[in-house]
Every structure is written in structure tokens, then in C-alpha cells.
Amino acid sequence: MTDALTHQLEALLNRDTLRQRILELCRIPSPQGYERKAGEYIEHWMAEEGFHPRRVSAVPERFHVIGSIGGYAPAEKKAHDLLIASHLDTEGGLDPKEARWCVSPHATPEEPVAEHDGIFTGAAISNDRGPMACFLMAGSLIQQAGIKLAGRLHMAACPGEIGPDPIDEREGVAQSGKDVGAAYLLANGGIAPDYMIAAEGTDFAVTAQGAGYAIFRLSLYGEQIFTPLFNSDAPVKNHPNPIYRLGEVIERLHNWAPEFERAHRFETPWGTTIPKVQIGAIKGGLPYSLGGGTGVCALYIEVGLSAIDRVQDVRRALETVIKDSGSYALECVAYRQGAVASEQEVAPLLEAISEATQAVRHTNLEVADPVYASMWRDHNVFNRAGIPAVTFGPRRWRPTLNDFVTTTLLYAQTAIKICGVAA
């Protein structure tokens, strides 16, 4: 990574064009399930740049857009291919009737997509189309510089990363998030990269691991009792109306969560995963027909999973926590495993990012904050498949135009290092 290459790429990078592209792309509404318009924008952009875009989709309205450059080395040279990908979906796609049960009416309104004095705001900017614009600009810079990559640089805009999961009445592929996202891209996208970067905000640090999760439905059972026959003096423990037993169960889960985090903390040289536990939803009864109470209610519990956690063991631990809670059923209704790259196999990718960081930022590459290794990101899919992958990108909170310029140069130099230059 020479200073001359850095200066050459920086001279070719049009800051105004980058700014315009980020704002145009991120101002396109792209809630989960409705990524089409943002995908079409990316498709047109890739076509203009000569990336030869193509669509791959599990659901017609929710397609991946894949573009590629390079591949000039003969097969016997064994040049490496790199995939850089981001996700198109930003908002949860909830209708107002659903949103009122998970978003407080007193919540601070989400900041609009905007740029003032070089500082960007808006959820789509950081999660995740700001970094997407950067790697597309990086591909453009490589071509403008006349650099013929020996291996291929694949660039992908993916639907379905933020969720949700098809649970209960919201069933089927159309209701899925991750199943139509990176997993489908890897299985059906026609690319088999040597390395992968999930381009998301990491504050210019990197991690080679991520957390998965399991969602458990804990159903508490009891009996319906006509209100005039209801015994108001019945003790809460083992109460016939299962809603009354929720308090004790929630307290048990609440006390168990910190123990779980401590016991399942997972550390490697390139990341620390701290799996979290949260009760995210509750169901029970019919508010328009209360006369007979309810005989069933349910808690929905999300449990983070590190690369080495087994969902079966987590289920057994939960069974221990909730024993003696009366009649119940515990079911795992969604499951995605965490992942970690092989330290040896991911080393060339980390070395390339480190060299790019030295050349562009004049600083050493750092390990990302544990929060970035404690969430789902699409590099999990590739690490689980044995393809070394990391997540790496710009400042997550209120990134600046300078941050995005830096990110573009980092992605470009990393791609050049990994893919090599054809003779």
C-alpha cells in the first residue's frame, strides 16, 4: 500500500458525487419487505459504472443486486475473490397497528436522512446504505485508476438483514428477513468468494465474529374462569389465570440474564461476543372478550448465541430457570447460530485491512467494540460456511463526509490487496 496509490485514489474520488449518492440512496424508503426501489437504484448505479449488475431473489420484489469487476488473471494464477456486501432494508416495515405495541408514543422521533456541515443523520445512513455507497464508489475508483484486478471484486446489495422472523401468524418466506438475505445470496448468488466483508459501521475497527440468537416462546397454561366466579384471593403462585404467573417468571428470567452473559462471554483475538437476553414480546387473552379471562399467555425471549453456544443447551438452561412455574411449554421458534472466522484463514483479510488502515488513516487497525461482535451481521453466514469474513466500516453514529471518504479509500485499497493486480 504505497502513498502514491492512496493519493491517486483520493484524487479520483469526487466528494460531491459521494455525498449526493449517499443522500439519494438513503432517502429511498426501504423498510423490510419493500426493498425494491432501493435495489433498482443500486442496479442503475452499477450499470452506469460498468459493474454488469444482475438480480438474484427468493422473492421477486426483494432481490439482491450483484455487480463485479476484475478477474483478469488466468485460472492457474489462483487470484483471490472478495465480496463486499451491505443490506438494503432499514426500517422494520411495521404498519401503525403493529408499531403502537412496540414503539412508545413518547419516543424521540427518528432523525431524517440529511447532511449538515458534513455530518450525516438518519437510520439508513448508518444501517446500512452509507457503507454501501462507499464500496460502490471504491469499485468505481479502481476502474477509474485503470487498475485491472487479478481476482474478482463482487459487490452486493442485499434485502433482509434486520429481520423479522416468520413466527406465529406471520409465516412464510415473504415474512422472513435473513432467509432471503445473505444466506440466499451465498447459496444461489453464483459467487464463491475467498473472503467477505460485511460493510457496516464499526468505527473503523474490525471483528471476525458475530452473535446469533434463538427466540423462545414460553407459553404458560391455566384455565378460563368466568369473572363472577373468579376467586380474587387466589395466591399468585400457581394461579389458574396464567397472566398472574408472569411476574414471577419474568423475575426469574431477569435474574438469570446477567449470569448467562457472564458464562457465555466468548473472546478471540479479533472480537468479544457478549450474548444478551431480552423478553421482547408478550401475548395473552382477548381484550375484546375478557369475561372468561384466559387459559394461555406467552412470553417471547430472545437469547444471544456466540459461535460456540448450542441452542439445545440454552433451552435446557431456560427449562431450569422456569421449572415449578405451573403448566407451560417452551419452544424455540427461531434460531440463527453465531459464527467466528478461523484465525489462520482470516489472517490475509485482516492483514489487507490493516495495511489499508495504515495507508489511509495512518493508524493501527483495532478490534471492534464488543457490541459489534454481539449482534447479527451478515458475515456470520459466510463464516459458518467456512469463508473467512469480517464486519468493517465507518463511524456508526453520525458519520461525516470525511468518514465516508476514508471508508471508500479503505475498501478500495483492501480490494486491491486481496484481489491483486493483473500483470
Side-chain angles (χ1 to χ4, degrees):
M1 297 295 180
T2 65
D3 289 339
L5 176 59
T6 302
H7 293 320
Q8 180 188 15
L9 295 174
E10 190 169 11
L12 291 169
L13 201 165
N14 188 312
R15 296 170 64 94
D16 289 336
T17 299
L18 178 60
R19 174 186 179 276
Q20 179 183 350
R21 285 293 195 181
I22 291 171
L23 291 174
E24 286 179 354
L25 173 59
C26 294
R27 282 173 174 162
I28 300 172
S30 189
Q32 183 275 328
Y34 301 91
E35 301 96 335
R36 181 185 183 91
K37 289 185 178 179
E40 289 173 341
Y41 180 94
I42 293 296
E43 187 176 42
H44 294 153
W45 184 0
M46 285 187 176
E48 290 173 3
E49 297 289 350
F51 297 164
H52 309 291
R54 56 191 176 86
R55 297 184 183 185
V56 175
S57 60
V59 180
E61 295 296 307
R62 307 180 63 195
F63 50 84
H64 299 263
V65 185
I66 307 167
S68 304
I69 60 174
Y72 289 97
E76 62 269 17
K77 293 295 184 180
K78 297 182 180 179
H80 291 136
D81 294 350
L82 172 66
L83 167 66
I84 309 181
S86 292
H87 60 89
L88 291 163
D89 51 331
T90 300
E91 305 86 7
L94 299 175
D95 66 36
K97 290 182 180 179
E98 293 175 317
R100 71 192 181 105
W101 292 112
C102 60
V103 180
S104 167
H106 308 296
T108 303
E110 193 172 271
E111 291 183 298
V113 171
E115 184 265 337
H116 300 289
D117 299 324
I119 298 175
F120 290 85
T121 59
I125 294 285
S126 58
N127 189 35
D128 178 33
R129 283 172 269 158
M132 183 183 295
C134 292
F135 67 70
L136 292 173
M137 287 291 291
S140 176
L141 289 183
I142 292 170
Q143 300 218 118
Q144 290 178 56
I147 297 172
K148 294 186 178 297
L149 297 177
R152 292 178 177 84
L153 170 62
H154 301 294
M155 296 158 281
C158 307
E161 192 265 5
I162 62 172
D165 293 291
I167 295 174
D168 291 351
E169 65 273 7
R170 294 180 66 95
E171 296 180 337
V173 174
Q175 301 295 336
S176 181
K178 298 170 181 60
D179 293 318
V180 302
Y184 194 87
L185 172 68
L186 177 59
N188 302 281
I191 55 176
D194 295 283
Y195 301 98
M196 185 269 183
I197 296 175
E200 296 212 45
T202 59
D203 305 327
F204 296 110
V206 67
T207 184
Q209 65 195 59
Y213 59 89
I215 298 176
F216 294 90
R217 178 175 57 220
L218 171 58
S219 301
L220 301 179
Y221 299 126
E223 60 178 302
Q224 289 182 289
I225 300 175
F226 184 39
T227 302
L229 300 177
F230 186 74
N231 179 8
S232 301
D233 294 328
V236 170
K237 188 173 182 61
N238 297 321
H239 199 286
N241 184 331
I243 289 179
Y244 283 72
R245 307 203 309 266
L246 285 175
E248 181 186 11
V249 172
I250 290 172
E251 185 175 8
R252 290 186 185 190
L253 292 168
H254 180 64
N255 292 335
W256 170 73
E259 299 175 10
F260 179 86
E261 290 178 23
R262 289 190 292 270
H264 291 257
R265 183 185 180 101
F266 175 65
E267 298 186 48
T268 72
W270 285 100
T272 298
T273 301
I274 306 174
K276 300 285 185 174
V277 179
Q278 179 172 217
I279 301 169
I282 183 171
K283 281 186 177 180
L286 301 174
Y288 48 82
S289 182
L290 291 180
T294 184
V296 61
C297 65
L299 293 173
Y300 293 77
I301 308 152
E302 181 179 7
V303 183
L305 300 174
S306 77
I308 61 172
D309 285 330
R310 286 166 30 99
V311 68
Q312 304 96 319
D313 295 334
V314 175
R315 180 184 60 78
R316 294 185 184 102
L318 275 170
E319 292 273 9
T320 301
V321 172
I322 61 178
K323 67 178 181 179
D324 303 325
S325 296
S327 178
Y328 71 86
L330 181 67
E331 302 162 281
C332 181
V333 293
Y335 163 53
R336 307 196 185 273
Q337 185 61 48
V340 60
S342 160
E343 187 175 347
Q344 181 178 355
E345 293 178 0
V346 79
L349 178 56
L350 292 170
E351 180 183 351
I353 296 173
S354 180
E355 290 187 16
T357 299
Q358 285 281 1
V360 176
R361 301 189 70 225
H362 309 291
T363 186
N364 294 328
L365 180 63
E366 296 181 350
V367 180
D369 187 277
V371 69
Y372 297 119
S374 302
M375 63 176 69
W376 176 273
R377 283 186 170 175
D378 282 341
H379 65 306
N380 276 340
V381 169
F382 293 84
N383 279 327
R384 282 164 52 192
I387 297 172
V390 302
T391 182
F392 175 69
R395 188 194 315 273
R396 177 77 169 188
W397 172 248
R398 294 198 169 188
T400 67
L401 182 57
N402 286 337
D403 290 333
F404 287 132
V405 167
T406 297
T407 303
T408 301
L409 296 173
L410 287 168
Y411 289 152
Q413 296 226 32
T414 300
I416 293 168
K417 175 68 175 178
I418 289 293
C419 300
V421 179

